[in-house]
Amino acid sequence: MFPLRRNRRLRTNEAIRSLVRQNFLTPNDFQAPLFIVEGKNKKEEIASMPNYFRFSLDLLQQEVKDLWSLGIKSVLLFVKVDDQLKDNKGIEAVNADGLMQRAIKTVKDAVPEMVVMTDVALDPYSIYGHDGIIENGKVLNDESVKALAQMALSHAQAGADFVAPSDMMDGRILVMRETLETEGFTNTGIMSYSAKFASAFYGPFRDALDSAPVDAKDIPKDKKTYQMDPANRDEAIKETLMDIEEGADIVMVKPGLCYLDIVRDIKNNVNVPISVYQVSGEYAMIKAASEKGWLDHDAVILEQLTAIKRAGADFIATYFAKDAAKLLS
């Protein structure tokens, strides 16, 4: 048909490109992960995540207000737990006056409309750095699920809008949903990390929370017995469908860029919102390359976020939420 068909006619200038553009980013697409630390007037930069910080509760208030002013309407909370509060069962995780519980209340006091989602996993509270309880060198499933359900309930009692289990234990969504329902938290949602892979991209995050698995005898050296094998594709759909059947309101794929095929597969198979987590390693790579002058920092941010949305994400948890919102404004 050439030259009757000239595809470049639709790329002639920005005006026509905008008219036919198929995917758009707005601040509504972003969720900001926030790291919380004990103390006052603390804003600690994370060495492996340049220009990203841990906030004490007093400074968290202003950070949340700044995010809201940029149009970002959801935060995902993580806490750095003091070593003396860690054990093998996550007892501190259900402390009504714990750091996470106070962080939830701080965000809600600062911006009541902000959607607060909370990380539900034992690794920040574990002396072993694992997402579950350890016994005889193994991560126990059912015992861990019981602890995680109580952790989720504690977050709901503190005011969380959604709990976000990131542990990848079998059956935890059903137990959490039943626990929340029994205790009257029928409107508390669950965003499940349904397709969370045993990725090498999580390193900076574990630095941020001091939550890496410890190197000790009889302790699993990694999380491959519960997080998914990066080589597997069909398994991600199975895991996600099971979580939906058990009561998940939102499902997540983690990490982002290397798993866009998984995002599209899940999009084609489910009818609930899909979140994608652009993880710490993805953030660190862009920062490192742009600091060297090898990449255009702002252009790469928007291109990667657009790619994640194009693959099927309804929203994206990203450490670039603030930067991207500013760029789009």
Side-chain angles (χ1 to χ4, degrees):
M1 296 293 291
F2 180 83
L4 299 180
R5 301 277 187 186
R6 291 185 182 268
N7 294 329
R8 288 183 56 192
R9 293 186 189 117
L10 299 180
R11 306 171 195 152
T12 303
N13 54 52
E14 178 57 23
I16 186 64
R17 290 194 295 272
S18 296
L19 282 174
V20 300
R21 189 164 290 141
Q22 296 174 336
N23 291 280
F24 298 87
L25 290 172
T26 78
N28 290 327
D29 293 313
F30 308 137
Q31 179 180 56
L34 294 175
F35 298 126
I36 318 302
V37 66
E38 287 283 12
K40 290 187 177 180
N41 198 34
K42 285 188 177 181
K43 184 179 179 181
E44 304 173 345
E45 185 172 27
I46 300 159
S48 53
M49 297 179 68
N51 203 38
Y52 216 80
F53 304 89
R54 305 181 196 96
F55 294 95
S56 55
L57 295 178
D58 53 332
L59 299 187
L60 174 64
Q61 296 181 56
Q62 187 58 52
E63 181 67 13
V64 171
K65 291 176 181 177
D66 291 345
L67 291 169
W68 186 262
S69 72
L70 290 168
I72 296 167
K73 298 182 175 65
S74 178
V75 293
L76 181 57
L77 301 184
F78 301 89
V79 294
K80 185 177 186 294
V81 179
D82 290 341
D83 286 346
Q84 63 266 26
L85 296 176
K86 296 182 179 183
D87 57 28
N88 186 32
K89 295 186 178 180
I91 293 173
E92 176 63 18
V94 298
N95 180 358
D97 195 38
L99 183 56
M100 175 64 84
Q101 289 77 1
R102 285 179 283 130
I104 296 166
K105 294 172 184 176
T106 297
V107 174
K108 283 299 188 181
D109 286 344
V111 183
E113 300 89 351
M114 182 69 81
V115 176
V116 176
M117 302 194 189
T118 58
D119 179 52
V120 177
L122 293 181
D123 53 332
Y125 300 89
S126 170
I127 54 176
Y128 301 123
H130 275 282
D131 295 59
I133 297 167
I134 303 287
E135 187 176 294
N136 297 324
K138 295 182 179 180
V139 179
L140 302 181
N141 191 91
D142 296 3
E143 291 82 354
S144 299
V145 166
K146 292 175 184 177
L148 292 163
Q150 292 305 306
M151 184 178 178
L153 175 60
S154 178
H155 294 181
Q157 291 168 335
D161 298 292
F162 279 75
V163 294
S166 60
D167 55 285
M168 291 299 288
M169 299 296 127
D170 290 333
R172 87 270 204 218
I173 302 302
L174 179 60
V175 176
M176 285 182 196
R177 185 72 267 163
E178 290 177 340
T179 300
L180 291 170
E181 294 290 320
T182 299
E183 296 296 327
F185 291 95
T186 57
N187 290 326
T188 302
I190 298 176
M191 178 176 73
S192 173
Y193 288 56
S194 296
K196 181 179 180 181
F197 290 84
S199 172
F201 284 96
Y202 301 149
F205 175 92
R206 291 171 182 167
D207 292 343
L209 295 186
D210 187 24
S211 62
V214 299
D215 185 9
K217 184 180 179 181
D218 297 327
I219 302 300
K221 65 179 181 179
D222 54 42
K223 302 187 177 186
K224 292 180 180 179
T225 64
Y226 45 101
Q227 294 178 0
M228 289 176 52
D229 187 338
N232 291 355
R233 186 171 180 172
D234 294 343
E235 186 181 9
I237 300 173
K238 178 180 70 175
E239 289 272 5
T240 302
L241 291 174
M242 289 175 66
D243 283 357
I244 293 170
E245 290 174 2
E246 292 178 15
D249 302 284
I250 300 170
V251 295
M252 178 191 280
V253 177
K254 182 182 181 183
L257 204 63
C258 289
Y259 297 87
L260 297 187
D261 59 324
I262 306 298
V263 179
R264 175 46 57 179
D265 283 347
I266 291 174
K267 185 71 172 180
N268 290 341
N269 281 276
V270 308
N271 293 306
V272 302
I274 298 171
S275 167
V276 173
Y277 203 142
Q278 186 188 38
V279 299
S280 59
E282 296 170 284
Y283 175 90
M285 287 195 304
I286 293 175
K287 286 293 185 182
S290 62
E291 286 175 1
K292 288 285 189 179
W294 296 338
L295 291 176
D296 182 327
H297 177 272
D298 294 350
V300 170
I301 289 173
L302 294 181
E303 183 175 347
Q304 286 202 8
L305 292 172
T306 299
I308 292 170
K309 186 171 183 184
R310 187 188 66 230
D314 292 288
F315 65 94
I316 306 162
T318 173
Y319 302 103
F320 291 116
K322 213 171 179 181
D323 292 336
K326 291 177 180 178
L327 291 171
L328 293 171
S329 66

